[in-house]
Amino acid sequence: MLTKEQVLKIAHLARLKLTEAEVEKYQGQLSQILDYVAMLDEVDVSKVEPTAQVTGLTNSMRPDEAKVSFGQSVSIREAAATQKGYFKVKAVL
Amino acid sequence: MRYQPIIGLEIHTQLKTQSKMFCSCASQYFGKEPNTQTCPVCLGLPGALPSINQMGVEQTVRVGLALGCTIPEESKFDRKNYFYPDLVKGYQISQYDMPLCQHGYLDVDALGKKKRIRILRAHLEEDTAKSLHEKDPVTGESYTLIDCNKSGVPLLEIVSEPDLRTMEEASAYARKIRQIVRYIDASDADMEKGQLRFDINVSIGIVEDDEVLGENDLPKQHTPIVEVKNLNSFRALEKAVDFEIKRQIEEYEQTHELYHAGNKTTRGWDDVKEVTVHQRSKEEASEYRYFPEPDLPPLHLARDYVEKLRSELPMLPEAKAKQLAECCGLKLSDAVLLVAEKEDANWFDQAATGQSQVLVGEMAKWLLGDIAFFLKENNLGVSQSKLTPEHLRELASLIQSGEISGKIAKEILPDVLEKGLSPKSVVESKGLKQVSDVGEIEKVIDAVIAENAKIVAQVQGGKPEAVMFLVGHVMKKTRGQANPPMVQEMMRKKMGL
Ligand SMILES: [Zn+2]
């Protein structure tokens, strides 16, 4: 089972604030997910080449040509807050 | 016990392409209205599919080859996950364990010593959005504005081994990287536009008296590693390295804390106060939760493709300087200066190609002397000035053929440099042509002899050195236009010397 510290660390990386009750809840739930995925450990992969891809494609590239993009009004249309054509967010340092 | 600074550099440089790394938006964003060069991919909208810009890969491989790197046959992209407002997708497409370039090196000159700096890797990633930090003048509320035109611009990260030991080495290394990426046209590396940025990793080795270290060996013990991020000028880089060395030695003397896994920290650079400031504990690699980018198939770099790129690389500055020094009989240190910038090197090539060693030497002398002084005053490279290669060649020929003296050359330089006039035309319009006509010079010599009977007597009476006085008079009478060696020779003959 994941410790409280581990859950808090994951929450921090995800920039989530969790209540005490939620920490306990996720201790259980996240551990279950890990256990579920860990079932894959039982498969014998000693004769399988590691891969990150199953499409069989390589070198799928496009030529370096610039195309017309969204205009500004479309780009920022769905944003919660904007200013002078920019996305506006909380202060970051 | 002694202290030994240990420095590693991560250099980010924006690659020169028309379009962004993983979408077709234009990559030249400087001066553009915010969020006008964006699309679902670089805005991080759900469901958008990235695609690899072939030129971004090519430019990366070219830089790698120029830095002596190995280009592995297999490479891939990975996702680096972290949350920050300038990273709209919540992850950056980067390269984790299979970068395009590995194990290169760069030889640098610093403090009169040559040193080989090993390069661990160079990998291709995407730039983040631009953020502007604002404060509402009325409410005093601080906020940040985000412009995604810069999101997704191809960015090359070049990571050195911690082989740098002094601020001077770090600076020389960074400058040479910039020179090379500019030379091979992989990046403009314009620092004022933020196209080249540095992160430094600094710690202080605590070297015991009986510890023997080779040039690139690390001391057994060192202080916690500090990363200073986002330095965007050479000056900031130098100041920050200096500051961290001093600060860490002081801190160590107080705390005696040594490096162990988990005590790396990140600091920012305050350009105004010229100090580094603590930011946050650095995220360890595992915290970025790297995983293979599922939307981008892996890359296979065919050997003949890599070799083709290698053969097409232009000559690098070091080789170019050597070639110039050898072919034209120049001092290597002079040649290094002449080829420092690619445009200037090409400019000089145009002036020097096919010319005699003597003429090239004369051109180099002026270019590095009076002309360099003028250019520096006006903050120009020779290729941006009004001086043309043809005019430099003309100037050198005029001097070499004896048509004008060095003194006259200096006199006409302002017109040549500021107005872009041909040296010949300035000489003619000002009537400054050097007099090399025997008959004309003889006339003046005779006049001077007639007017200075006393000195003539001295010369002939056993004080031959006084002849120079007579020569001086001839030069004065001709307003410096007489050919000095000719005057001297003729005067000596007349005096029977
Ligand atoms: Zn885009």
Side-chain angles (χ1 to χ4, degrees), chain A residues 69, chain B residues 20 22-26 37-43 148 151:
Chain A
S69 315
Chain B
K20 293 186 181 181
F22 301 112
C23 64
S24 297
C25 294
Q37 298 183 166
T38 56
C39 73
V41 173
C42 57
L43 286 170
C148 291
S151 297

PDB file of all heavy atoms in Angstrom, chain A residues 69, chain B residues 20 22-26 37-43 148 151, ligand 1:
ATOM      1  N   SER A  69      -1.965  29.445 -39.465  1.00  0.00           N
ATOM      2  CA  SER A  69      -2.461  28.894 -38.211  1.00  0.00           C
ATOM      3  C   SER A  69      -3.805  29.502 -37.874  1.00  0.00           C
ATOM      4  O   SER A  69      -4.370  30.281 -38.640  1.00  0.00           O
ATOM      5  CB  SER A  69      -1.479  29.224 -37.091  1.00  0.00           C
ATOM      6  OG  SER A  69      -0.165  28.982 -37.511  1.00  0.00           O
TER       7      SER A  69
ATOM      8  N   LYS B  20       7.245  24.972 -36.795  1.00  0.00           N
ATOM      9  CA  LYS B  20       7.531  24.469 -35.451  1.00  0.00           C
ATOM     10  C   LYS B  20       7.904  22.978 -35.483  1.00  0.00           C
ATOM     11  O   LYS B  20       7.813  22.326 -36.517  1.00  0.00           O
ATOM     12  CB  LYS B  20       6.314  24.702 -34.548  1.00  0.00           C
ATOM     13  CG  LYS B  20       6.049  26.196 -34.278  1.00  0.00           C
ATOM     14  CD  LYS B  20       4.930  26.392 -33.255  1.00  0.00           C
ATOM     15  CE  LYS B  20       4.658  27.890 -33.027  1.00  0.00           C
ATOM     16  NZ  LYS B  20       3.597  28.105 -32.015  1.00  0.00           N
ATOM     17  N   PHE B  22       6.570  20.261 -33.961  1.00  0.00           N
ATOM     18  CA  PHE B  22       5.569  19.193 -34.047  1.00  0.00           C
ATOM     19  C   PHE B  22       4.260  19.642 -34.686  1.00  0.00           C
ATOM     20  O   PHE B  22       3.248  18.960 -34.611  1.00  0.00           O
ATOM     21  CB  PHE B  22       5.326  18.586 -32.662  1.00  0.00           C
ATOM     22  CG  PHE B  22       6.587  18.007 -32.065  1.00  0.00           C
ATOM     23  CD1 PHE B  22       7.182  18.579 -30.955  1.00  0.00           C
ATOM     24  CD2 PHE B  22       7.191  16.897 -32.649  1.00  0.00           C
ATOM     25  CE1 PHE B  22       8.354  18.056 -30.421  1.00  0.00           C
ATOM     26  CE2 PHE B  22       8.370  16.360 -32.132  1.00  0.00           C
ATOM     27  CZ  PHE B  22       8.956  16.944 -31.011  1.00  0.00           C
ATOM     28  N   CYS B  23       4.259  20.852 -35.263  1.00  0.00           N
ATOM     29  CA  CYS B  23       3.104  21.313 -36.032  1.00  0.00           C
ATOM     30  C   CYS B  23       3.602  22.271 -37.097  1.00  0.00           C
ATOM     31  O   CYS B  23       4.775  22.626 -37.116  1.00  0.00           O
ATOM     32  CB  CYS B  23       2.073  21.989 -35.125  1.00  0.00           C
ATOM     33  SG  CYS B  23       2.678  23.495 -34.324  1.00  0.00           S
ATOM     34  N   SER B  24       2.699  22.697 -37.983  1.00  0.00           N
ATOM     35  CA  SER B  24       3.132  23.497 -39.133  1.00  0.00           C
ATOM     36  C   SER B  24       3.010  25.000 -38.917  1.00  0.00           C
ATOM     37  O   SER B  24       3.100  25.776 -39.863  1.00  0.00           O
ATOM     38  CB  SER B  24       2.340  23.091 -40.370  1.00  0.00           C
ATOM     39  OG  SER B  24       2.621  21.746 -40.689  1.00  0.00           O
ATOM     40  N   CYS B  25       2.815  25.438 -37.665  1.00  0.00           N
ATOM     41  CA  CYS B  25       2.794  26.872 -37.416  1.00  0.00           C
ATOM     42  C   CYS B  25       4.185  27.445 -37.692  1.00  0.00           C
ATOM     43  O   CYS B  25       5.190  26.773 -37.502  1.00  0.00           O
ATOM     44  CB  CYS B  25       2.431  27.160 -35.961  1.00  0.00           C
ATOM     45  SG  CYS B  25       0.766  26.671 -35.535  1.00  0.00           S
ATOM     46  N   ALA B  26       4.223  28.718 -38.127  1.00  0.00           N
ATOM     47  CA  ALA B  26       5.511  29.363 -38.393  1.00  0.00           C
ATOM     48  C   ALA B  26       6.323  29.450 -37.105  1.00  0.00           C
ATOM     49  O   ALA B  26       5.775  29.692 -36.030  1.00  0.00           O
ATOM     50  CB  ALA B  26       5.280  30.753 -38.971  1.00  0.00           C
ATOM     51  N   GLN B  37       0.295  32.532 -34.082  1.00  0.00           N
ATOM     52  CA  GLN B  37       0.928  31.401 -34.758  1.00  0.00           C
ATOM     53  C   GLN B  37       0.750  30.161 -33.887  1.00  0.00           C
ATOM     54  O   GLN B  37       1.697  29.629 -33.327  1.00  0.00           O
ATOM     55  CB  GLN B  37       2.401  31.721 -35.032  1.00  0.00           C
ATOM     56  CG  GLN B  37       2.539  32.918 -35.962  1.00  0.00           C
ATOM     57  CD  GLN B  37       3.963  33.267 -36.347  1.00  0.00           C
ATOM     58  OE1 GLN B  37       4.154  34.028 -37.277  1.00  0.00           O
ATOM     59  NE2 GLN B  37       4.949  32.742 -35.631  1.00  0.00           N
ATOM     60  N   THR B  38      -0.505  29.775 -33.785  1.00  0.00           N
ATOM     61  CA  THR B  38      -0.850  28.666 -32.903  1.00  0.00           C
ATOM     62  C   THR B  38      -1.869  27.774 -33.593  1.00  0.00           C
ATOM     63  O   THR B  38      -2.552  28.202 -34.517  1.00  0.00           O
ATOM     64  CB  THR B  38      -1.476  29.177 -31.583  1.00  0.00           C
ATOM     65  OG1 THR B  38      -2.602  29.990 -31.922  1.00  0.00           O
ATOM     66  CG2 THR B  38      -0.490  29.984 -30.776  1.00  0.00           C
ATOM     67  N   CYS B  39      -1.949  26.539 -33.138  1.00  0.00           N
ATOM     68  CA  CYS B  39      -2.893  25.574 -33.703  1.00  0.00           C
ATOM     69  C   CYS B  39      -3.236  24.575 -32.598  1.00  0.00           C
ATOM     70  O   CYS B  39      -2.666  24.649 -31.509  1.00  0.00           O
ATOM     71  CB  CYS B  39      -2.281  24.891 -34.925  1.00  0.00           C
ATOM     72  SG  CYS B  39      -1.006  23.707 -34.485  1.00  0.00           S
ATOM     73  N   PRO B  40      -4.121  23.635 -32.846  1.00  0.00           N
ATOM     74  CA  PRO B  40      -4.486  22.683 -31.787  1.00  0.00           C
ATOM     75  C   PRO B  40      -3.270  21.969 -31.178  1.00  0.00           C
ATOM     76  O   PRO B  40      -3.248  21.700 -29.985  1.00  0.00           O
ATOM     77  CB  PRO B  40      -5.398  21.701 -32.524  1.00  0.00           C
ATOM     78  CG  PRO B  40      -6.042  22.528 -33.589  1.00  0.00           C
ATOM     79  CD  PRO B  40      -4.971  23.473 -34.048  1.00  0.00           C
ATOM     80  N   VAL B  41      -2.246  21.676 -31.998  1.00  0.00           N
ATOM     81  CA  VAL B  41      -1.082  20.944 -31.475  1.00  0.00           C
ATOM     82  C   VAL B  41      -0.312  21.795 -30.465  1.00  0.00           C
ATOM     83  O   VAL B  41      -0.070  21.372 -29.336  1.00  0.00           O
ATOM     84  CB  VAL B  41      -0.150  20.487 -32.625  1.00  0.00           C
ATOM     85  CG1 VAL B  41       1.149  19.890 -32.063  1.00  0.00           C
ATOM     86  CG2 VAL B  41      -0.864  19.475 -33.502  1.00  0.00           C
ATOM     87  N   CYS B  42       0.070  23.015 -30.874  1.00  0.00           N
ATOM     88  CA  CYS B  42       0.939  23.796 -29.993  1.00  0.00           C
ATOM     89  C   CYS B  42       0.140  24.531 -28.908  1.00  0.00           C
ATOM     90  O   CYS B  42       0.719  25.118 -28.006  1.00  0.00           O
ATOM     91  CB  CYS B  42       1.844  24.731 -30.774  1.00  0.00           C
ATOM     92  SG  CYS B  42       1.010  25.885 -31.853  1.00  0.00           S
ATOM     93  N   LEU B  43      -1.201  24.489 -29.011  1.00  0.00           N
ATOM     94  CA  LEU B  43      -2.012  25.002 -27.902  1.00  0.00           C
ATOM     95  C   LEU B  43      -2.341  23.888 -26.917  1.00  0.00           C
ATOM     96  O   LEU B  43      -2.978  24.115 -25.895  1.00  0.00           O
ATOM     97  CB  LEU B  43      -3.325  25.601 -28.431  1.00  0.00           C
ATOM     98  CG  LEU B  43      -3.226  26.957 -29.125  1.00  0.00           C
ATOM     99  CD1 LEU B  43      -4.557  27.289 -29.797  1.00  0.00           C
ATOM    100  CD2 LEU B  43      -2.838  28.047 -28.144  1.00  0.00           C
ATOM    101  N   CYS B 148       1.479  31.820 -26.915  1.00  0.00           N
ATOM    102  CA  CYS B 148       1.883  30.481 -27.372  1.00  0.00           C
ATOM    103  C   CYS B 148       2.586  30.471 -28.728  1.00  0.00           C
ATOM    104  O   CYS B 148       2.846  29.405 -29.276  1.00  0.00           O
ATOM    105  CB  CYS B 148       0.680  29.542 -27.400  1.00  0.00           C
ATOM    106  SG  CYS B 148       0.100  29.149 -25.743  1.00  0.00           S
ATOM    107  N   SER B 151       5.478  28.412 -28.245  1.00  0.00           N
ATOM    108  CA  SER B 151       5.249  27.002 -27.904  1.00  0.00           C
ATOM    109  C   SER B 151       5.545  26.116 -29.094  1.00  0.00           C
ATOM    110  O   SER B 151       4.981  26.318 -30.176  1.00  0.00           O
ATOM    111  CB  SER B 151       3.781  26.756 -27.539  1.00  0.00           C
ATOM    112  OG  SER B 151       3.434  27.479 -26.418  1.00  0.00           O
TER     113      SER B 151
HETATM  114 ZN    ZN C   1       0.952  24.905 -33.979  1.00  0.00          ZN
END
